[in-house]
Amino acid sequence: MIEIHDLVKTYKIYDKPIDRLKESLSLTHKQYSREFHALNGVNLTVKKGENIGIIGTNGAGKSTLLKIITGVLSPTSGSVTVNGKISALLELGAGFNPEYTGLENIYLNGTMMGYTREEVDVKVEGILQFADIGDFIYQPVKTYSSGMFARLAFAVAINVEPEILIVDEALSVGDVFFQAKCYKKFEELKEKGTTILFVSHALGTIAKYCDRAILMSKGKKLSEGSPKEMIDLYKKVLVKQESEQKKEEDFNVLSKTENGVRWKDSMTLNPQINAYGNLLAEIIDFAIIDDKEQITNNICKGSLFKIKLRAKFYATIIDPIFAFTILNLQGIDITGTNTMYENTGILEVKSGEEKIVTFTQFMNLQGGEYLLSLGLTGYKDGKFIVYHRLYEACNIIVVSEKNTVGFYDMNSIVGLE
């Protein structure tokens, strides 16, 4: 359906706006710009009926690739061959006139895809039912909320019977019920043989819905393969340990932490951590570690993982308590534990000493994003004391191929008779 060979997209970067004019008027053809390769030698083959996810860090070239496939951008060099009718949802508002009503935009998009007004008439009812935005369909789309805009845009994209559907992170603005309806529609389109390409930072979505995943980094296709393989590799990219020359053993960040590299430097941290306490002891480092001993914010559901804390003590403390809590995005405690609950308390730590505590457990939370808080507390003369607490220190992204109801999975075994 799609064949891409040696695709390159290069932009000229100028330090100052006047440099563009200077370069265009230079008689000696002096260069005032430097080149930025948004895409650099990308090759890709997409077969009919494949459901492909494209992942990578911001600036990897994912959206640029989709825009070139759809014809929104032209490549600097290389070739793109598309055999089929494309329906694309690249970004919120793309292809919509904000002054037109929702209904008028449906006909506008249909015309852009080559349909006659009569052909769009047949599809309008299905689009309206899927979008479910009521009488707002007769209002200018500039008055829509982002969620309403996403509903209409996606409804148009999937109801024009595309042979190739391309979606670029556009579903992140819809509510959870609308997202569920969209993914159900993905399944229906896949059964009909529709080829689907979509960019998403939701790794659980990639794992669940994709046959194959493409990992991009710095404008290049780093690798392709099964979603699980690419997600594992993506974790290494996220902690900035990935390099085409590095060997697998170099990816173990833990081997380097003892040589002065902080664990938390390899993670995505909350830039506004709420830290407080009397600082008689301090959490000086921490990490989330997956079942492959990699420091990462991404943990696969059902896998073994660790939460590791390093603390330094500035006074002699009796029975310090190390703790962690996992919260949802609304700040509600979901689960957690501490060394007192686990009956593994530390009797005494002297001033100047450091202690490392590791909590090891299976990840049974549903796929999604959570927050991690860490604490170092204790009791003195019956009074509770907070030595140091890091509230919402970082996020944890749970990657899941199967979700059940609620916050955690009971891992039920179903029998049929």
Side-chain angles (χ1 to χ4, degrees), residues 169-229:
E169 209 50 273
L171 299 183
S172 58
V173 297
D175 61 51
V176 65
F177 304 109
F178 180 67
Q179 290 181 33
K181 184 160 64 170
C182 292
Y183 290 126
K184 183 179 180 181
K185 191 66 177 183
F186 276 158
E187 295 284 3
E188 294 176 6
L189 291 173
K190 186 177 178 181
E191 290 176 4
K192 293 179 180 178
T194 302
T195 303
I196 302 175
L197 276 74
F198 68 99
V199 167
S200 179
H201 289 288
L203 300 183
T205 300
I206 299 292
K208 183 174 182 179
Y209 292 100
C210 292
D211 308 310
R212 183 158 55 105
I214 309 297
L215 175 61
M216 297 190 65
S217 179
K218 298 179 180 178
K220 295 183 178 181
K221 186 181 78 173
L222 197 61
S223 188
E224 64 178 290
S226 71
K228 187 178 186 308
E229 291 172 338

Side-chain angles (χ1 to χ4, degrees), residues 184-307:
K184 183 179 180 181
K185 191 66 177 183
F186 276 158
E187 295 284 3
E188 294 176 6
L189 291 173
K190 186 177 178 181
E191 290 176 4
K192 293 179 180 178
T194 302
T195 303
I196 302 175
L197 276 74
F198 68 99
V199 167
S200 179
H201 289 288
L203 300 183
T205 300
I206 299 292
K208 183 174 182 179
Y209 292 100
C210 292
D211 308 310
R212 183 158 55 105
I214 309 297
L215 175 61
M216 297 190 65
S217 179
K218 298 179 180 178
K220 295 183 178 181
K221 186 181 78 173
L222 197 61
S223 188
E224 64 178 290
S226 71
K228 187 178 186 308
E229 291 172 338
M230 292 303 101
I231 288 170
D232 288 342
L233 189 55
Y234 181 41
K235 292 178 184 179
K236 298 168 186 175
V237 175
L238 286 174
V239 295
K240 300 179 182 178
Q241 295 298 308
E242 175 63 7
S243 166
E244 293 179 6
Q245 291 77 34
K246 284 189 176 182
K247 297 180 180 179
E248 184 66 28
E249 55 265 25
D250 290 332
F251 292 139
N252 193 337
V253 181
L254 290 178
S255 64
K256 301 179 182 181
T257 56
E258 307 305 327
N259 299 322
V261 178
R262 298 186 306 177
W263 302 328
K264 61 185 179 182
D265 291 340
S266 297
M267 299 173 57
T268 301
L269 305 179
N270 182 355
Q272 298 178 326
I273 293 177
N274 183 9
Y276 56 94
N278 64 17
L279 291 182
L280 293 179
E282 180 184 9
I283 300 171
I284 59 174
D285 205 2
F286 60 89
I288 303 169
I289 304 163
D290 67 10
D291 56 351
K292 295 180 175 60
E293 291 296 302
Q294 308 301 315
I295 294 180
T296 177
N297 293 74
N298 298 278
I299 300 296
C300 290
K301 181 178 172 182
S303 68
L304 195 70
F305 78 105
K306 302 172 185 175
I307 294 175

